[in-house]
Amino acid sequence: MPAWVGRIARVREIPVAVAFVTLVAITAALNPRFLTPQSVKDLMLNATIIAILAAGQAMVIISRNVDLSVGSMLGISGFATGAIFAAFPEIPIFFVFLAGITVGAVLGAFNGLLVVTAKVPSLVITLGTLYVYRGINNAWAGGTEHFSGDRPKAFSALSVDTLFGLPIITLLAFAVIAVLALYLGKFRSGRDYYAIGSDPEAAMLFGIPVARRVFTAFVINGALAGLAGVLFASRFSSVGARTGTGFELDVIAAVVVGGVAIFGGSGTVIGAAIGAFLLTTITSALTAVRVDKFWQQAVVGILILSAIVIDRVSALRTARRLRMSQARAGETAAQGGSS
Amino acid sequence: MSVPTTDQRAPWRRLLSVVALGASATVVLAGCAGGTTEEADPAPADDAETSVTTEEFSITFIPKNLNNPYTTVTLQGGEEASAELGLVYNAVGALDAAADSQVPFIQTEVQNGTDIIVIAANDPNAVCSALEEARAGGAKIITFDSDAECRDLFVNQVDQTEVALGQLRQLFDQIGGTGEIAILSATANAPNQNSWIAAMRAEIESNPDYEWEIVAEVYGDDEDAKSFQEAQGLLQAYPDLKGIISPTTVGIAATARYLSQSVYKGQVALVGLGLPPQMKEFIKDGTVTAFALWDPSELAYLAAYAGQALAEGSITGVEGETFDAGKLGSYTIGANGTVIVGPLLEFNAGNIDDYDYISF
Amino acid sequence: MTTTNVASGIGKSRLWQRINLRDVAMLLALVVVIVLNSLARDNFATTTTVGFLLLDVIPIMMLALPMAFIIISAEIDLSVASMVGLSAATVGALVLREENMLVAAVVGVGVGTVAGAFNGFLVAYLGLPSLAATIGTLALYRGLALVVIGDVSVGSFPEEWTGFVQARLGATGVPIVTLAVLASIAIAIIILHFSSFGRGLYALGYSQEAARFVGVNVNQTKFWLFVASGFVAGLVGLYWALRYASARSDSASGLELTVIAAVLLGGVSIFGGRGSIPGVVIAVLLIATITYGFRLQRISDVVLVIITGALLIASVVAPSYFQRAREWWRGLNRHKNSLAS
């Protein structure tokens, strides 16, 4: 089964990777300034936060769940970052990262606990926590916003300075995504998620600790949302009660565009990350090519739909190829047996 | 294959259903029977002048949305004035600034018989039908910050044209009168921004000193991340851009943040309306030379005094009338029921440190 | 656990068989909320409240009906709010171009219906998963609304139309348009609970293959469900534009999650195959009443948001815990009985 899964996963990433490269190529052809060092840096930075969120969400969706509360979790973590720096200006940056990730992990754990113990659909639970966490964010922040001037220069510099040509926070995102992809692809316990997403009952019968895995997925997703919140505070000017509102649908769109099946069981974290890059780049590309501002959102919608259709077509084709090859294998086995 | 049913509990369930239906029916009937018509008590305008004791009027502020610093500062002024005047003060609002979000809150004020409603309209049309109901019940309506038609007075921080001209002046001081410029606004249908931008365009047309070419007008939707990305897009799409005007505090901060981290810092001038505590770091690091705003608390402070004057009948909203506005002095109503609070406040390196009082 | 779903699902689409403990509990909760609010504030139990509350609740109530159908058949439509916005924007754009109001209204509703049909085509005939497809159309339709109406807010609707939408029925305070809503609810109940089409939806929600087996035309059914969703969204868009006298590209932005939350609160299972219209209606009224009551007492929306979320979570978690508690209790009894015998 492992090699089988691997091959499918690779096939699913190709459409979105090709789309991404095509988009960049066409846009650069129409406007060469799209690929100046500043622009490339901007593209990478833009995609970083959504890519991290998409990676975590991919893990949740692969296990046949969904987490709609990521935007609210990011908001709480982002505001917490701002609040911590405002209260303790000398605090080491590492501690703030730790705090943000922990906050996110706790919120994710609450989601996971409810989904796993109450055995209720994650869409419902996380829709509820979307509201509850947003309410908590508002209750805590009120009308206060924390501005980037109150955060250490070194912290903000993480979103500006580069290492090996890549912005630091993007390197961080790549590292996180790589670790997650490795875990899901190469480790036995990671591949369990695909089994759970394909057929939860069979997975349970097979001996996979479904509850523990699903709970872990939500905790990791929450931790990544927390990390994304800290990075948001590093990159943007202000964090407050409204931070992160509406991110959830963008993240799910990125994951879906990246080839992760919404019903679980297939797709990869890398694909989701590419999907995130694709979606954030589309917006910048449309502006760079001077598409009428009133048409930009409609074009994004068309592109999301195209990505889903292409993904569906390629998945169907793969399934058909598999069925045919399995049928052929069955025939040859039968022939071999009967001769 | 018979379908198993849970009939053991069916009798109990049916009994409970009957009880529930009966309770609902009782509530509905009680509502119909005891329902009164209007309960909004009208402000006793006729008697106020002759009576010796002043009525304690109620005032409710409905800002665009509650959870942002600008609103917090604004309401401080309103609360201060209400305390000075002895008004019963309330502030309500939604957590988002959608066109329809304020209507339920206006309805509440109608029902609670509030005497003075001070509102910053998210949409000039959507709020009117509810506001008209409030007026029919005797309430006085004052708009501030963002106008609608169905009101007795509009308290405007700075004259519309002056807001536009001030920003253009600041831009002219930095880059001269020629070059490509762009505008980064809030949402596509934001009434204040649209009226300021219209005034800017008119001024650029008519003023011979201003020969800029406005190459783009983009919308950041008052969201940090979106405004940030729109600013990036502007600089990519228009390599010869010399200046950006952003008449929205979220937009200017996001643009400043982008510029200060990028190669464009110092090469592209940025002006607009910004919050001093938020913009301070950009003045200090040289990204922004000057920006403008006003003291939001003065808006609500003035509105409260105007509301008191309206409610007690000493003014009716006609041009030329004057009223007392506490620590701000005396004010005269201008054309179209508008009261201008004061001049544009301009901030630069010289005075940015003085403005920490607008603190959050 | 799926087997108990089957037992309580199949063959039970008759209305009275579907009124279960959950709906009754919700109805009692609604009554309690009304009573508490009336005690807390003497201007709550008035005709004014009834009028305002019903005007506020109509969009969600109307959208919840086709949404319930769609979720029961194990799909979802996240694009409803964008379809409302697109319809409202179309109506506004036409009015702006001096079109006859009736024409604008018909075209607006038509646009909504076409949008729903496109959703139906994507899900039923292209076989795209509805969650993903409707996220795409959510963005597309919202974008088209911007294309159609641009950056203006249209408010110049004829008085007869805006007045009619807000007009009340005599002294009861009930808006006249409520009658249309009641009719829609009645139609929805008849279709879902008293027709074979409705029974087919439950079958579809339980298992697509099983539904095909019993003769349900899966593709056609799904297609028409999404068309219905679009049609209702078109009507709501028209209502929205008239009621607020404001048509904008962002009209009704974000409404889809509120509608889905209300439908889920009403007992419709996100897995499909379970739920009833009365449950959904009660849930919508419950949320609306809580919201109205809070706002009347000027309780902050922050509290409201948290309570709405908590209510949604509790509504699914509590029955599950009760179920397990009951099974544990029954397991104990059975054990006792087997020991005794």
Side-chain angles (χ1 to χ4, degrees), chain A residues 21-51:
Chain A
V21 170
T22 316
L23 176 71
V24 172
I26 294 182
T27 314
L30 289 174
N31 182 352
R33 271 170 66 106
F34 192 62
L35 286 184
T36 57
Q38 176 70 49
S39 310
V40 171
K41 186 172 152 191
D42 290 338
L43 287 176
M44 289 195 281
L45 284 168
N46 287 345
T48 300
I49 290 176
I50 296 273

PDB file of all heavy atoms in Angstrom, chain A residues 21-51:
ATOM      1  N   VAL A  21       3.690  27.223 -11.795  1.00  0.00           N
ATOM      2  CA  VAL A  21       4.794  27.633 -12.672  1.00  0.00           C
ATOM      3  C   VAL A  21       4.265  28.394 -13.883  1.00  0.00           C
ATOM      4  O   VAL A  21       4.817  29.429 -14.284  1.00  0.00           O
ATOM      5  CB  VAL A  21       5.601  26.392 -13.117  1.00  0.00           C
ATOM      6  CG1 VAL A  21       6.579  26.757 -14.196  1.00  0.00           C
ATOM      7  CG2 VAL A  21       6.324  25.783 -11.927  1.00  0.00           C
ATOM      8  N   THR A  22       3.162  27.890 -14.458  1.00  0.00           N
ATOM      9  CA  THR A  22       2.565  28.570 -15.610  1.00  0.00           C
ATOM     10  C   THR A  22       2.160  29.994 -15.252  1.00  0.00           C
ATOM     11  O   THR A  22       2.428  30.940 -15.994  1.00  0.00           O
ATOM     12  CB  THR A  22       1.314  27.813 -16.092  1.00  0.00           C
ATOM     13  OG1 THR A  22       1.599  26.422 -16.124  1.00  0.00           O
ATOM     14  CG2 THR A  22       0.872  28.296 -17.443  1.00  0.00           C
ATOM     15  N   LEU A  23       1.490  30.124 -14.106  1.00  0.00           N
ATOM     16  CA  LEU A  23       1.034  31.445 -13.678  1.00  0.00           C
ATOM     17  C   LEU A  23       2.204  32.409 -13.573  1.00  0.00           C
ATOM     18  O   LEU A  23       2.165  33.528 -14.087  1.00  0.00           O
ATOM     19  CB  LEU A  23       0.328  31.314 -12.325  1.00  0.00           C
ATOM     20  CG  LEU A  23      -0.113  32.629 -11.698  1.00  0.00           C
ATOM     21  CD1 LEU A  23      -1.270  33.219 -12.479  1.00  0.00           C
ATOM     22  CD2 LEU A  23      -0.526  32.408 -10.247  1.00  0.00           C
ATOM     23  N   VAL A  24       3.263  31.952 -12.893  1.00  0.00           N
ATOM     24  CA  VAL A  24       4.419  32.840 -12.703  1.00  0.00           C
ATOM     25  C   VAL A  24       5.029  33.192 -14.056  1.00  0.00           C
ATOM     26  O   VAL A  24       5.376  34.344 -14.319  1.00  0.00           O
ATOM     27  CB  VAL A  24       5.463  32.151 -11.792  1.00  0.00           C
ATOM     28  CG1 VAL A  24       6.737  32.958 -11.748  1.00  0.00           C
ATOM     29  CG2 VAL A  24       4.902  31.992 -10.393  1.00  0.00           C
ATOM     30  N   ALA A  25       5.138  32.183 -14.929  1.00  0.00           N
ATOM     31  CA  ALA A  25       5.762  32.421 -16.238  1.00  0.00           C
ATOM     32  C   ALA A  25       4.976  33.445 -17.050  1.00  0.00           C
ATOM     33  O   ALA A  25       5.540  34.405 -17.592  1.00  0.00           O
ATOM     34  CB  ALA A  25       5.879  31.099 -16.994  1.00  0.00           C
ATOM     35  N   ILE A  26       3.650  33.236 -17.117  1.00  0.00           N
ATOM     36  CA  ILE A  26       2.824  34.153 -17.914  1.00  0.00           C
ATOM     37  C   ILE A  26       2.891  35.561 -17.352  1.00  0.00           C
ATOM     38  O   ILE A  26       3.069  36.546 -18.077  1.00  0.00           O
ATOM     39  CB  ILE A  26       1.361  33.671 -17.947  1.00  0.00           C
ATOM     40  CG1 ILE A  26       1.274  32.355 -18.696  1.00  0.00           C
ATOM     41  CG2 ILE A  26       0.467  34.715 -18.607  1.00  0.00           C
ATOM     42  CD1 ILE A  26      -0.139  31.824 -18.808  1.00  0.00           C
ATOM     43  N   THR A  27       2.771  35.660 -16.039  1.00  0.00           N
ATOM     44  CA  THR A  27       2.774  36.988 -15.432  1.00  0.00           C
ATOM     45  C   THR A  27       4.116  37.673 -15.651  1.00  0.00           C
ATOM     46  O   THR A  27       4.175  38.861 -15.959  1.00  0.00           O
ATOM     47  CB  THR A  27       2.489  36.890 -13.932  1.00  0.00           C
ATOM     48  OG1 THR A  27       1.388  36.022 -13.722  1.00  0.00           O
ATOM     49  CG2 THR A  27       2.169  38.249 -13.349  1.00  0.00           C
ATOM     50  N   ALA A  28       5.196  36.915 -15.492  1.00  0.00           N
ATOM     51  CA  ALA A  28       6.513  37.510 -15.672  1.00  0.00           C
ATOM     52  C   ALA A  28       6.699  37.960 -17.116  1.00  0.00           C
ATOM     53  O   ALA A  28       7.341  38.979 -17.379  1.00  0.00           O
ATOM     54  CB  ALA A  28       7.593  36.505 -15.287  1.00  0.00           C
ATOM     55  N   ALA A  29       6.120  37.194 -18.043  1.00  0.00           N
ATOM     56  CA  ALA A  29       6.223  37.583 -19.445  1.00  0.00           C
ATOM     57  C   ALA A  29       5.487  38.895 -19.696  1.00  0.00           C
ATOM     58  O   ALA A  29       5.950  39.757 -20.446  1.00  0.00           O
ATOM     59  CB  ALA A  29       5.656  36.474 -20.331  1.00  0.00           C
ATOM     60  N   LEU A  30       4.337  39.050 -19.043  1.00  0.00           N
ATOM     61  CA  LEU A  30       3.550  40.261 -19.258  1.00  0.00           C
ATOM     62  C   LEU A  30       4.111  41.440 -18.484  1.00  0.00           C
ATOM     63  O   LEU A  30       3.970  42.593 -18.885  1.00  0.00           O
ATOM     64  CB  LEU A  30       2.092  40.016 -18.820  1.00  0.00           C
ATOM     65  CG  LEU A  30       1.320  39.084 -19.738  1.00  0.00           C
ATOM     66  CD1 LEU A  30      -0.042  38.777 -19.147  1.00  0.00           C
ATOM     67  CD2 LEU A  30       1.137  39.728 -21.104  1.00  0.00           C
ATOM     68  N   ASN A  31       4.744  41.159 -17.347  1.00  0.00           N
ATOM     69  CA  ASN A  31       5.295  42.237 -16.540  1.00  0.00           C
ATOM     70  C   ASN A  31       6.572  41.746 -15.886  1.00  0.00           C
ATOM     71  O   ASN A  31       6.529  41.111 -14.830  1.00  0.00           O
ATOM     72  CB  ASN A  31       4.279  42.671 -15.481  1.00  0.00           C
ATOM     73  CG  ASN A  31       4.802  43.836 -14.652  1.00  0.00           C
ATOM     74  OD1 ASN A  31       5.960  44.222 -14.751  1.00  0.00           O
ATOM     75  ND2 ASN A  31       3.932  44.406 -13.837  1.00  0.00           N
ATOM     76  N   PRO A  32       7.718  42.049 -16.488  1.00  0.00           N
ATOM     77  CA  PRO A  32       8.989  41.504 -15.987  1.00  0.00           C
ATOM     78  C   PRO A  32       9.279  41.884 -14.547  1.00  0.00           C
ATOM     79  O   PRO A  32      10.019  41.209 -13.857  1.00  0.00           O
ATOM     80  CB  PRO A  32      10.030  42.112 -16.932  1.00  0.00           C
ATOM     81  CG  PRO A  32       9.276  42.493 -18.147  1.00  0.00           C
ATOM     82  CD  PRO A  32       7.897  42.842 -17.696  1.00  0.00           C
ATOM     83  N   ARG A  33       8.673  42.975 -14.070  1.00  0.00           N
ATOM     84  CA  ARG A  33       8.941  43.371 -12.701  1.00  0.00           C
ATOM     85  C   ARG A  33       8.359  42.382 -11.692  1.00  0.00           C
ATOM     86  O   ARG A  33       8.607  42.481 -10.506  1.00  0.00           O
ATOM     87  CB  ARG A  33       8.358  44.759 -12.419  1.00  0.00           C
ATOM     88  CG  ARG A  33       9.328  45.859 -12.751  1.00  0.00           C
ATOM     89  CD  ARG A  33       8.642  47.199 -12.691  1.00  0.00           C
ATOM     90  NE  ARG A  33       8.219  47.540 -11.337  1.00  0.00           N
ATOM     91  CZ  ARG A  33       8.832  48.442 -10.589  1.00  0.00           C
ATOM     92  NH1 ARG A  33       9.882  49.066 -11.041  1.00  0.00           N
ATOM     93  NH2 ARG A  33       8.386  48.737  -9.375  1.00  0.00           N
ATOM     94  N   PHE A  34       7.582  41.440 -12.202  1.00  0.00           N
ATOM     95  CA  PHE A  34       7.003  40.433 -11.323  1.00  0.00           C
ATOM     96  C   PHE A  34       8.083  39.567 -10.702  1.00  0.00           C
ATOM     97  O   PHE A  34       7.878  38.967  -9.659  1.00  0.00           O
ATOM     98  CB  PHE A  34       6.019  39.574 -12.138  1.00  0.00           C
ATOM     99  CG  PHE A  34       5.153  38.697 -11.304  1.00  0.00           C
ATOM    100  CD1 PHE A  34       4.273  39.227 -10.377  1.00  0.00           C
ATOM    101  CD2 PHE A  34       5.212  37.319 -11.446  1.00  0.00           C
ATOM    102  CE1 PHE A  34       3.463  38.409  -9.612  1.00  0.00           C
ATOM    103  CE2 PHE A  34       4.395  36.494 -10.689  1.00  0.00           C
ATOM    104  CZ  PHE A  34       3.523  37.039  -9.773  1.00  0.00           C
ATOM    105  N   LEU A  35       9.247  39.486 -11.359  1.00  0.00           N
ATOM    106  CA  LEU A  35      10.285  38.588 -10.836  1.00  0.00           C
ATOM    107  C   LEU A  35      11.528  39.319 -10.366  1.00  0.00           C
ATOM    108  O   LEU A  35      12.601  38.754 -10.316  1.00  0.00           O
ATOM    109  CB  LEU A  35      10.665  37.552 -11.906  1.00  0.00           C
ATOM    110  CG  LEU A  35       9.620  36.473 -12.117  1.00  0.00           C
ATOM    111  CD1 LEU A  35      10.096  35.433 -13.119  1.00  0.00           C
ATOM    112  CD2 LEU A  35       9.288  35.772 -10.799  1.00  0.00           C
ATOM    113  N   THR A  36      11.400  40.601 -10.020  1.00  0.00           N
ATOM    114  CA  THR A  36      12.555  41.264  -9.412  1.00  0.00           C
ATOM    115  C   THR A  36      12.750  40.674  -8.018  1.00  0.00           C
ATOM    116  O   THR A  36      11.823  40.112  -7.438  1.00  0.00           O
ATOM    117  CB  THR A  36      12.306  42.774  -9.277  1.00  0.00           C
ATOM    118  OG1 THR A  36      11.122  42.970  -8.507  1.00  0.00           O
ATOM    119  CG2 THR A  36      12.178  43.434 -10.618  1.00  0.00           C
ATOM    120  N   PRO A  37      13.960  40.788  -7.474  1.00  0.00           N
ATOM    121  CA  PRO A  37      14.223  40.205  -6.149  1.00  0.00           C
ATOM    122  C   PRO A  37      13.209  40.651  -5.102  1.00  0.00           C
ATOM    123  O   PRO A  37      12.746  39.847  -4.295  1.00  0.00           O
ATOM    124  CB  PRO A  37      15.621  40.727  -5.807  1.00  0.00           C
ATOM    125  CG  PRO A  37      16.270  40.982  -7.101  1.00  0.00           C
ATOM    126  CD  PRO A  37      15.184  41.373  -8.061  1.00  0.00           C
ATOM    127  N   GLN A  38      12.847  41.950  -5.132  1.00  0.00           N
ATOM    128  CA  GLN A  38      11.867  42.437  -4.162  1.00  0.00           C
ATOM    129  C   GLN A  38      10.544  41.717  -4.353  1.00  0.00           C
ATOM    130  O   GLN A  38       9.893  41.293  -3.392  1.00  0.00           O
ATOM    131  CB  GLN A  38      11.680  43.948  -4.339  1.00  0.00           C
ATOM    132  CG  GLN A  38      10.600  44.548  -3.447  1.00  0.00           C
ATOM    133  CD  GLN A  38      10.979  44.562  -1.992  1.00  0.00           C
ATOM    134  OE1 GLN A  38      12.060  44.994  -1.623  1.00  0.00           O
ATOM    135  NE2 GLN A  38      10.093  44.080  -1.142  1.00  0.00           N
ATOM    136  N   SER A  39      10.120  41.579  -5.600  1.00  0.00           N
ATOM    137  CA  SER A  39       8.821  40.944  -5.854  1.00  0.00           C
ATOM    138  C   SER A  39       8.820  39.493  -5.449  1.00  0.00           C
ATOM    139  O   SER A  39       7.854  39.004  -4.861  1.00  0.00           O
ATOM    140  CB  SER A  39       8.455  41.035  -7.335  1.00  0.00           C
ATOM    141  OG  SER A  39       8.602  42.333  -7.774  1.00  0.00           O
ATOM    142  N   VAL A  40       9.879  38.801  -5.773  1.00  0.00           N
ATOM    143  CA  VAL A  40       9.946  37.378  -5.426  1.00  0.00           C
ATOM    144  C   VAL A  40       9.908  37.218  -3.914  1.00  0.00           C
ATOM    145  O   VAL A  40       9.209  36.368  -3.365  1.00  0.00           O
ATOM    146  CB  VAL A  40      11.221  36.742  -6.015  1.00  0.00           C
ATOM    147  CG1 VAL A  40      11.410  35.346  -5.477  1.00  0.00           C
ATOM    148  CG2 VAL A  40      11.139  36.710  -7.527  1.00  0.00           C
ATOM    149  N   LYS A  41      10.672  38.099  -3.254  1.00  0.00           N
ATOM    150  CA  LYS A  41      10.669  38.057  -1.781  1.00  0.00           C
ATOM    151  C   LYS A  41       9.260  38.289  -1.262  1.00  0.00           C
ATOM    152  O   LYS A  41       8.784  37.602  -0.350  1.00  0.00           O
ATOM    153  CB  LYS A  41      11.625  39.141  -1.282  1.00  0.00           C
ATOM    154  CG  LYS A  41      11.857  39.161   0.202  1.00  0.00           C
ATOM    155  CD  LYS A  41      12.977  40.148   0.522  1.00  0.00           C
ATOM    156  CE  LYS A  41      12.763  40.700   1.921  1.00  0.00           C
ATOM    157  NZ  LYS A  41      13.616  41.828   2.223  1.00  0.00           N
ATOM    158  N   ASP A  42       8.572  39.270  -1.870  1.00  0.00           N
ATOM    159  CA  ASP A  42       7.206  39.564  -1.446  1.00  0.00           C
ATOM    160  C   ASP A  42       6.295  38.364  -1.645  1.00  0.00           C
ATOM    161  O   ASP A  42       5.480  38.048  -0.782  1.00  0.00           O
ATOM    162  CB  ASP A  42       6.640  40.740  -2.255  1.00  0.00           C
ATOM    163  CG  ASP A  42       7.296  42.049  -1.887  1.00  0.00           C
ATOM    164  OD1 ASP A  42       7.840  42.132  -0.778  1.00  0.00           O
ATOM    165  OD2 ASP A  42       7.254  42.976  -2.711  1.00  0.00           O
ATOM    166  N   LEU A  43       6.427  37.714  -2.794  1.00  0.00           N
ATOM    167  CA  LEU A  43       5.577  36.557  -3.073  1.00  0.00           C
ATOM    168  C   LEU A  43       5.767  35.486  -2.016  1.00  0.00           C
ATOM    169  O   LEU A  43       4.812  34.894  -1.512  1.00  0.00           O
ATOM    170  CB  LEU A  43       5.908  35.977  -4.451  1.00  0.00           C
ATOM    171  CG  LEU A  43       5.436  36.779  -5.653  1.00  0.00           C
ATOM    172  CD1 LEU A  43       5.919  36.127  -6.933  1.00  0.00           C
ATOM    173  CD2 LEU A  43       3.922  36.859  -5.641  1.00  0.00           C
ATOM    174  N   MET A  44       7.027  35.251  -1.685  1.00  0.00           N
ATOM    175  CA  MET A  44       7.293  34.201  -0.702  1.00  0.00           C
ATOM    176  C   MET A  44       6.739  34.581   0.657  1.00  0.00           C
ATOM    177  O   MET A  44       6.128  33.764   1.351  1.00  0.00           O
ATOM    178  CB  MET A  44       8.801  33.942  -0.624  1.00  0.00           C
ATOM    179  CG  MET A  44       9.333  33.239  -1.854  1.00  0.00           C
ATOM    180  SD  MET A  44      10.948  32.558  -1.590  1.00  0.00           S
ATOM    181  CE  MET A  44      11.926  34.024  -1.774  1.00  0.00           C
ATOM    182  N   LEU A  45       6.942  35.850   1.030  1.00  0.00           N
ATOM    183  CA  LEU A  45       6.442  36.277   2.334  1.00  0.00           C
ATOM    184  C   LEU A  45       4.920  36.206   2.384  1.00  0.00           C
ATOM    185  O   LEU A  45       4.339  35.781   3.373  1.00  0.00           O
ATOM    186  CB  LEU A  45       6.915  37.704   2.629  1.00  0.00           C
ATOM    187  CG  LEU A  45       8.370  37.822   3.049  1.00  0.00           C
ATOM    188  CD1 LEU A  45       8.805  39.274   3.032  1.00  0.00           C
ATOM    189  CD2 LEU A  45       8.567  37.236   4.429  1.00  0.00           C
ATOM    190  N   ASN A  46       4.275  36.644   1.298  1.00  0.00           N
ATOM    191  CA  ASN A  46       2.815  36.626   1.273  1.00  0.00           C
ATOM    192  C   ASN A  46       2.275  35.239   1.528  1.00  0.00           C
ATOM    193  O   ASN A  46       1.288  35.057   2.219  1.00  0.00           O
ATOM    194  CB  ASN A  46       2.283  37.082  -0.088  1.00  0.00           C
ATOM    195  CG  ASN A  46       2.439  38.561  -0.289  1.00  0.00           C
ATOM    196  OD1 ASN A  46       2.684  39.289   0.657  1.00  0.00           O
ATOM    197  ND2 ASN A  46       2.294  39.006  -1.518  1.00  0.00           N
ATOM    198  N   ALA A  47       2.932  34.257   0.903  1.00  0.00           N
ATOM    199  CA  ALA A  47       2.395  32.901   0.955  1.00  0.00           C
ATOM    200  C   ALA A  47       2.720  32.200   2.258  1.00  0.00           C
ATOM    201  O   ALA A  47       2.062  31.228   2.618  1.00  0.00           O
ATOM    202  CB  ALA A  47       2.935  32.103  -0.213  1.00  0.00           C
ATOM    203  N   THR A  48       3.734  32.692   2.972  1.00  0.00           N
ATOM    204  CA  THR A  48       4.242  31.951   4.134  1.00  0.00           C
ATOM    205  C   THR A  48       3.170  31.597   5.140  1.00  0.00           C
ATOM    206  O   THR A  48       3.021  30.451   5.541  1.00  0.00           O
ATOM    207  CB  THR A  48       5.344  32.779   4.837  1.00  0.00           C
ATOM    208  OG1 THR A  48       6.394  33.005   3.921  1.00  0.00           O
ATOM    209  CG2 THR A  48       5.861  32.061   6.052  1.00  0.00           C
ATOM    210  N   ILE A  49       2.423  32.607   5.561  1.00  0.00           N
ATOM    211  CA  ILE A  49       1.458  32.365   6.640  1.00  0.00           C
ATOM    212  C   ILE A  49       0.371  31.403   6.193  1.00  0.00           C
ATOM    213  O   ILE A  49       0.026  30.452   6.907  1.00  0.00           O
ATOM    214  CB  ILE A  49       0.878  33.715   7.120  1.00  0.00           C
ATOM    215  CG1 ILE A  49       1.973  34.479   7.841  1.00  0.00           C
ATOM    216  CG2 ILE A  49      -0.321  33.507   8.008  1.00  0.00           C
ATOM    217  CD1 ILE A  49       1.597  35.848   8.290  1.00  0.00           C
ATOM    218  N   ILE A  50      -0.172  31.612   5.004  1.00  0.00           N
ATOM    219  CA  ILE A  50      -1.233  30.727   4.529  1.00  0.00           C
ATOM    220  C   ILE A  50      -0.676  29.329   4.264  1.00  0.00           C
ATOM    221  O   ILE A  50      -1.371  28.334   4.487  1.00  0.00           O
ATOM    222  CB  ILE A  50      -1.884  31.288   3.243  1.00  0.00           C
ATOM    223  CG1 ILE A  50      -2.568  32.615   3.537  1.00  0.00           C
ATOM    224  CG2 ILE A  50      -2.876  30.321   2.668  1.00  0.00           C
ATOM    225  CD1 ILE A  50      -3.992  32.497   4.016  1.00  0.00           C
ATOM    226  N   ALA A  51       0.585  29.250   3.831  1.00  0.00           N
ATOM    227  CA  ALA A  51       1.169  27.926   3.566  1.00  0.00           C
ATOM    228  C   ALA A  51       1.261  27.117   4.854  1.00  0.00           C
ATOM    229  O   ALA A  51       0.966  25.919   4.875  1.00  0.00           O
ATOM    230  CB  ALA A  51       2.539  28.074   2.916  1.00  0.00           C
TER     231      ALA A  51
END
